[in-house]
Amino acid sequence: MSALLPELAQAAQGLLFISESEAPLEPFTLPAGTPAETEASFLEAMGHTGQPVKQVELPYFFRNMVRPSEDPAEQATAARYQALQTWLQTNLQDVKVYRVGQIEIQAYIIGKAPDGTWLGLKTTLIET
């Protein structure tokens, strides 16, 4: 397990990803040596083979979460999402976002930690 996992958990703590529902961002890890470099190998490692998948860029995935707002509470949440995005881009290599499924979508943000462990966040999106 990566030593960065507690840092990532703290950075994401309390953040909810808003779609047609609100779901937490949950940290996860794959052991070093797990093949997850490609879309196909990641889907196999997560048990999602044969499901529709779409890869998006991290800034695009967080676009609605970091949008400026006049509301101070919303602005504070946007700042936390911006800090989380920066943390992911700074501490992980080859960061990817996979959206797996349709309507009830499993979303995974994954990157490689310096120790070779795959580390990331997962959440569920509802899009009808």
Side-chain angles (χ1 to χ4, degrees):
M1 182 185 318
S2 174
L4 292 176
L5 187 60
E7 275 185 48
L8 178 57
Q10 184 176 1
Q13 186 175 9
L15 289 176
L16 297 175
F17 199 92
I18 311 298
S19 59
E20 291 181 34
S21 66
E22 296 178 357
L25 293 165
E26 301 172 24
F28 75 97
T29 185
L30 296 173
T34 300
E37 289 83 3
T38 66
E39 183 177 291
S41 62
F42 174 76
L43 292 174
E44 185 175 329
M46 297 304 290
H48 291 300
T49 54
Q51 295 187 25
V53 63
K54 180 178 180 183
Q55 185 176 344
V56 298
E57 298 294 322
L58 185 62
Y60 179 82
F61 184 70
F62 280 152
R63 72 193 181 286
N64 293 327
M65 303 301 128
V66 299
R67 185 177 295 150
S69 172
E70 298 294 321
D71 180 278
E74 288 178 10
Q75 191 58 38
T77 300
R80 288 198 56 215
Y81 265 100
Q82 185 61 54
L84 177 60
Q85 180 175 324
T86 300
W87 189 95
L88 290 162
Q89 292 170 322
T90 302
N91 291 286
L92 302 178
Q93 299 173 341
D94 198 23
V95 176
K96 295 176 171 60
V97 180
Y98 295 113
R99 296 167 41 99
V100 182
Q102 297 174 324
I103 301 175
E104 185 172 322
I105 299 164
Q106 301 304 307
Y108 299 92
I109 303 166
I110 188 166
K112 200 169 219 178
D115 66 1
T117 303
W118 291 99
L119 182 65
L121 297 165
K122 61 183 177 179
T123 192
T124 301
L125 314 175
I126 305 294
E127 297 178 353
T128 56

